Amino acid sequence: MQLPDYFMPRPAANYDAETIAAFEHLYATGVEHGSGAKIEYALTAPKWQFLCYLCDHKNLVMHGSGRADITEFEPRKANDVHKFGDRCAVYAAVDGLWAMYFAIVDRDKYVTSLVNGCFRVVETHGGMGKPHYFFSINGDAFSHNPWRKGMVYLLSGTGFEQQQRERYRGMEIEIPQRASLVPVRPLAKIVVCPEDFPFLAQIRGHNPATLQERALADPAGYPWLDEMV
């Protein structure tokens, strides 16, 4: 089954030998045995490519935040329609772009509602399709320029639980969300700006009230797009 075009595929990235070597060097020097220090990123490749490369090839998960001073993540009660995401836990993504979204959206500038997703389709032969994304905020926040410089924290994936695969529109999908029920200290962190996020112009707007009505009426209807504004 073909995905609707409002689910955006990850942009193409050409990881040539030189780029991979640079990524591996920065990982070995700034992340692998890190103590939470900030990575000084000076590579020519976009930051999202570095973060996605690490998620795809290393035992790492990532957490995006507007705070730059977090030294330990403690489990907190989340509010989610899915059982996995509705617990007291530290949540993180195995996808650099998804983590970046939470880092660059400024919730102090009238952003009161987030609708977002990231998933891969499990293909018939058992392989995984490329990541697809959906991003939206309450539409009335756009006039306030609701973006910020944020931080993506890099955490060891050890001890994090994987979210179970789900069925969606007749397809089996894997959501790259992980949860830890115990506190976690970051290995490293990296500053990201709105212009680092390749989907900034594709973040949609929605009406929270009508969205909630539709979600209650049809919980499986995500992302309830026909009510977007």
Side-chain angles (χ1 to χ4, degrees):
M1 180 181 294
Q2 186 174 0
L3 289 170
D5 59 9
Y6 49 77
F7 290 126
M8 302 174 293
R10 180 185 289 177
N14 180 22
Y15 295 132
D16 58 25
E18 183 178 357
T19 299
I20 291 175
F23 286 172
E24 290 287 346
H25 177 74
L26 192 54
Y27 168 74
T29 57
V31 181
E32 188 173 17
H33 305 294
S35 59
K38 185 172 69 174
I39 296 172
E40 299 299 334
Y41 192 86
L43 305 183
T44 56
K47 287 180 183 178
W48 72 263
Q49 291 187 11
F50 173 63
L51 296 176
C52 287
Y53 175 85
L54 293 185
C55 284
D56 291 344
H57 295 90
K58 308 297 181 183
N59 180 30
L60 293 176
V61 297
M62 300 188 180
H63 183 102
S65 173
R67 288 183 53 187
D69 60 348
I70 300 174
T71 57
E72 183 175 76
F73 289 92
E74 297 182 355
R76 292 185 178 181
K77 180 67 174 69
N79 182 19
D80 194 272
V81 295
H82 296 97
K83 183 178 179 180
F84 180 87
D86 195 37
R87 299 178 293 169
C88 185
V90 176
Y91 290 96
V94 194
D95 189 285
L97 277 172
W98 201 11
M100 287 179 73
Y101 167 74
F102 291 99
I104 62 100
V105 172
D106 192 343
R107 301 195 201 188
D108 292 329
K109 289 187 177 179
Y110 303 92
V111 177
T112 58
S113 176
L114 302 177
V115 178
N116 60 93
C118 173
F119 63 90
R120 294 177 186 250
V121 174
V122 181
E123 299 174 341
T124 54
H125 55 75
M128 303 295 294
K130 70 186 306 182
H132 281 74
Y133 307 88
F134 181 87
F135 303 108
S136 182
I137 63 174
N138 49 298
D140 57 357
F142 281 99
S143 62
H144 300 282
N145 190 31
W147 320 120
R148 66 188 176 193
K149 179 187 293 185
M151 194 73 74
V152 172
Y153 290 86
L154 286 62
L155 319 171
S156 170
T158 302
F160 277 83
E161 301 175 19
Q162 179 176 342
Q163 183 168 346
Q164 301 84 353
R165 290 179 175 178
E166 299 180 4
R167 301 293 299 181
Y168 179 73
R169 296 178 181 257
M171 299 172 288
E172 185 178 23
I173 63 172
E174 184 169 293
I175 299 172
Q177 182 171 222
R178 302 292 186 267
S180 172
L181 303 183
V182 298
V184 183
R185 296 182 67 87
L187 296 174
K189 58 188 179 182
I190 186 169
V191 174
V192 293
C193 300
E195 54 268 28
D196 293 322
F197 187 61
F199 291 123
L200 187 65
Q202 285 75 46
I203 296 178
R204 294 176 176 265
H206 62 265
N207 183 309
T210 52
L211 186 73
Q212 183 177 28
E213 290 176 4
R214 291 189 63 83
L216 291 173
D218 181 17
Y222 170 88
W224 309 284
L225 190 65
D226 42 351
E227 287 298 328
M228 296 291 168
V229 295

